[in-house]
């Protein structure tokens, strides 16, 4: 679905467009604005790929809105819908890069064909940008590896050739990761997952470059970062390393640096390697425990710990697999192998045991207890509880609640 904003001060015109989108099942996810300023604010705050705007609106007209919206998102597609067949309007719209000038009243067939044509164009442009980004990332990886090997030499002015510098990011963050010798293989096996996690964490593309057999270099390429974001990059990098350690239960160590100029990449990384080599590994009183965590057992333990603190939420195999960066089928298999029960049964049992504790120690209503342990449907909770324990929640409370005279379990 294409995130779409429809800007028009006429409720009737908005209703017509929304009706056509629904009737012809057009691939748009529409939001509406009643004036130009409201529309611009929305575009600045939310991802929009298509803008359909009237020309004459309060506070800011559609032409001014189009110019400012394109400054926010150069890839934005714009349809101007107007009842004025004025060549000067159309000429200005074309000069701005507006996709189409649509005359009111809107004709359903014309509108439908236009939207489908723009949807196809957006998809093709998106695929091309993805291909270009992949090619750029590949080129940057190749240049980075050559710089780290010392295979690229600077000129007499101390600068690399312009065509090489133009391919490298102006801003970004470097993270160098390593681990204890027994966990290095896991670090490199997790390279793809760590790279994806870094991209999500920093909201910018991340590249992973192995160095020797001891270090993994993460390069996070900022686009046009805000000054405050650059200033916080070091703290965010440290937080990211901590997150990796907690997620994978592995003795990772890391250090970070602002992205240097390409000519300074090699000495910067060498200094980071030296910093990590001088950092002693974290003490571990139980080496066997670390060995176990560097396995399926560690993944299952992470999932169990997550369930114990998030059992009130909507948990599913797919959601837990995404959080633990595992395929759902693989998580299902290793969970059954390690715990002896399937994941859904484990979640159900954990929730019902939490309900038992509340029934024993509180006077909360059954509906409140049901919601607090992740059951939004109280009738389903009562049925599940009764099937599991052979007794209803109310009778369980009568027998075991410390406030009702029954003995506690």
């Amino acid at each position: 679905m294409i995130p779409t904003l429809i800007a028009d001060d006429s409720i009737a015109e908005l209703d017509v467009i929304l009706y056509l989108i629904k009737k012809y099942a057009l691939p748009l996810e529409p939001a509406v604005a009643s004036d130009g300023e409201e529309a611009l604010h929305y575009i600045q705050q939310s991802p929009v790929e298509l803008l359909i705007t009237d020309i004459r609106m309060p506070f800011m007209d559609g032409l001014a809105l189009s110019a400012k919206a394109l400054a926010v998102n150069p890839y934005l597609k714009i349809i101007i819908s107007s009842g004025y067949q004025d060549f000067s309007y159309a000429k200005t719209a074309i000069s701005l890069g507006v996709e189409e000038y649509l005359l009111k009243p809107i004709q359903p067939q014309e509108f439908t064909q236009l939207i489908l044509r723009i949807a196809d164009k957006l998809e093709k442009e998106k695929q091309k940008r993805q291909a270009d980004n992949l090619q750029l990332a590949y080129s940057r990886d190749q240049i980075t590896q050559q710089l780290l090997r010392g295979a690229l030499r600077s000129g007499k002015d101390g600068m690399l050739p312009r065509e090489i510098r133009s391919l490298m990011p102006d801003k970004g963050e470097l993270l160098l990761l390593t681990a204890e010798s027994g966990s290095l293989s896991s670090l490199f096996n997790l390279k793809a997952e760590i790279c994806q996690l870094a991209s999500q964490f920093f909201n910018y593309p991340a590249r992973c470059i192995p160095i020797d057999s001891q270090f993994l270099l993460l390069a996070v390429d900022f686009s046009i970062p805000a000054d405050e974001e650059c200033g916080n990059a070091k703290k965010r990098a440290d937080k990211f390393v901590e997150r990796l350690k907690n997620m994978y239960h592995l003795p990772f160590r890391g250090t970070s640096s602002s992205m240097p100029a390409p000519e300074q990449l090699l000495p910067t990384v060498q200094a980071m390697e030296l910093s990590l080599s001088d950092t002693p590994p974290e003490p571990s009183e139980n080496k066997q425990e670390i060995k176990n965590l560097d396995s399926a057992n560690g993944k299952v333990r992470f999932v169990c710990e997550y369930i114990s603190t998030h059992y009130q939420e909507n948990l599913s195999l797919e959601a837990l697999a995404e959080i633990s960066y595992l395929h759902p089928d693989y998580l299902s298999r290793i969970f059954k192998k390690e715990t002896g029960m399937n994941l859904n049964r484990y979640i159900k049992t954990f929730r019902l045991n939490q309900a038992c504790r509340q029934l024993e120690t509180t006077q909360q209503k059954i509906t409140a207890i049901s919601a607090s342990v992740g059951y939004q449907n109280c009738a389903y909770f009562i049925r599940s509880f009764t099937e599991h324990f052979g007794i209803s929640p109310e009778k369980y409370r009568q027998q075991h609640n410390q406030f009702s005279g029954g003995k506690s379990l």
Side-chain angles (χ1 to χ4, degrees):
M1 302 297 281
I2 301 170
T4 302
L5 178 64
I6 308 165
D8 201 312
D9 61 337
S10 168
I11 295 177
E13 295 294 344
L14 288 174
D15 287 344
V16 166
I17 295 175
L18 292 172
Y19 171 77
L20 292 176
I21 292 171
K22 184 176 182 179
K23 179 178 180 179
Y24 295 102
L26 298 175
L28 305 182
E29 186 178 344
V32 298
S34 58
D35 62 68
E37 285 189 355
E38 181 186 353
L40 181 61
H41 179 73
Y42 183 89
I43 290 169
Q44 291 170 334
Q45 301 296 322
S46 307
V48 176
E49 295 180 16
L50 174 62
L51 169 64
I52 304 173
T53 180
D54 188 17
I55 288 186
R56 295 192 176 182
M57 295 184 295
F59 307 116
M60 183 188 300
D61 66 39
L63 296 175
L65 169 62
S66 297
K68 293 184 178 183
L70 285 169
V72 175
N73 177 9
Y75 302 111
L76 181 68
K77 301 300 177 191
I78 301 176
I79 299 172
I80 284 188
S81 172
S82 176
Y84 299 92
Q85 194 169 5
D86 190 316
F87 179 72
S88 63
Y89 283 148
K91 185 178 179 181
T92 304
I94 291 170
S95 69
L96 290 172
V98 169
E99 196 71 20
E100 194 78 27
Y101 192 93
L102 197 61
L103 284 174
K104 297 178 181 179
I106 294 174
Q107 302 301 312
Q109 185 176 3
E110 181 186 8
F111 181 75
T112 301
Q113 291 175 349
L114 173 59
I115 295 300
L116 294 177
R117 187 165 68 248
I118 290 178
D120 182 62
K121 188 173 183 178
L122 276 169
E123 181 60 29
K124 288 179 179 177
E125 289 181 359
K126 192 177 298 183
Q127 290 176 359
K128 185 179 185 303
R129 285 199 301 273
Q130 289 173 347
D132 290 344
N133 289 338
L134 286 173
Q135 181 60 45
L136 178 60
Y138 176 78
S139 299
R140 286 177 172 175
D141 281 354
Q142 296 298 306
I143 293 171
T144 300
Q145 291 172 8
Q146 292 183 57
L147 288 170
L148 293 175
R149 291 198 304 267
L152 291 176
R153 301 289 182 181
S154 302
K156 292 181 180 180
D157 59 355
M159 307 288 282
L160 288 166
R162 183 185 302 172
E163 59 269 20
I164 291 177
R165 290 181 60 85
S166 66
L167 289 171
M168 299 302 284
D170 294 327
K171 300 288 184 181
E173 190 75 8
L174 293 179
L175 289 87
L176 194 65
L177 300 174
T178 189
E180 291 186 28
S181 58
S183 299
L184 278 170
S185 60
S186 296
L187 174 63
F188 288 102
N189 289 338
L190 292 167
K191 182 183 75 169
E193 290 185 18
I194 290 174
C195 199
Q196 181 183 7
L197 185 63
S199 297
Q200 295 172 351
F201 184 85
F202 288 96
N203 290 321
Y204 287 106
R207 298 173 288 118
C208 288
I209 302 104
I211 302 177
D212 301 326
S213 58
Q214 295 186 353
F215 299 100
L216 182 66
L217 180 66
L218 272 172
V220 182
D221 302 334
F222 293 166
S223 300
I224 308 175
D227 293 338
E228 57 180 311
E229 188 167 9
C230 291
N232 292 330
K234 168 70 174 168
K235 291 181 180 179
R236 296 186 69 200
D238 293 340
K239 187 176 180 180
F240 177 72
V241 173
E242 206 53 41
R243 181 173 178 178
L244 288 180
K245 290 160 66 175
N246 294 334
M247 175 169 287
Y248 294 111
H249 300 281
L250 290 172
F252 290 156
R253 287 179 289 137
T255 186
S256 64
S257 169
S258 297
M259 184 76 71
E263 295 83 2
Q264 297 301 313
L265 181 64
L266 179 56
T268 299
V269 172
Q270 288 174 335
M272 295 169 73
E273 289 180 359
L274 186 61
S275 171
L276 281 180
S277 298
D278 291 341
T279 304
E282 294 183 2
S284 174
E285 298 177 359
N286 192 340
K287 296 290 184 181
Q288 185 61 40
E289 181 180 359
I290 289 180
K291 183 178 179 182
N292 289 339
L293 289 173
D294 187 15
S295 65
N297 179 273
K299 294 286 190 181
V300 171
R301 188 178 303 180
F302 168 77
V303 171
C304 289
E305 290 175 356
Y306 187 89
I307 292 170
S308 70
T309 55
H310 295 79
Y311 62 89
Q312 306 96 331
E313 301 172 9
N314 184 21
L315 299 177
S316 66
L317 172 62
E318 289 72 21
L320 291 168
E322 182 178 355
I323 290 166
S324 54
Y325 291 87
L326 296 173
H327 191 280
D329 291 343
Y330 178 67
L331 174 58
S332 180
R333 287 199 306 273
I334 64 172
F335 196 93
K336 179 69 179 291
K337 181 179 178 181
E338 295 291 333
T339 66
M341 68 174 71
N342 66 45
L343 185 57
N344 287 335
R345 183 184 169 197
Y346 181 91
I347 295 171
K348 176 182 177 181
T349 301
F350 189 93
R351 284 172 165 167
L352 293 178
N353 284 337
Q354 294 299 313
C356 284
R357 293 189 179 93
Q358 293 190 47
L359 289 167
E360 294 168 11
T361 59
T362 75
Q363 292 296 312
Q364 288 192 85
K365 294 182 178 180
I366 302 296
T367 52
I369 293 176
S370 168
S372 72
V373 297
Y375 287 86
Q376 300 308 313
N377 186 320
C378 185
Y380 179 65
F381 164 72
I382 294 172
R383 185 166 68 251
S384 297
F385 189 99
T386 304
E387 290 174 354
H388 189 80
F389 292 108
I391 186 174
S392 71
E394 190 58 45
K395 288 186 178 179
Y396 183 94
R397 163 174 276 165
Q398 292 172 4
Q399 294 181 12
H400 302 290
N401 189 280
Q402 58 185 345
F403 300 107
S404 62
K407 63 178 183 179
S408 300
L409 288 178

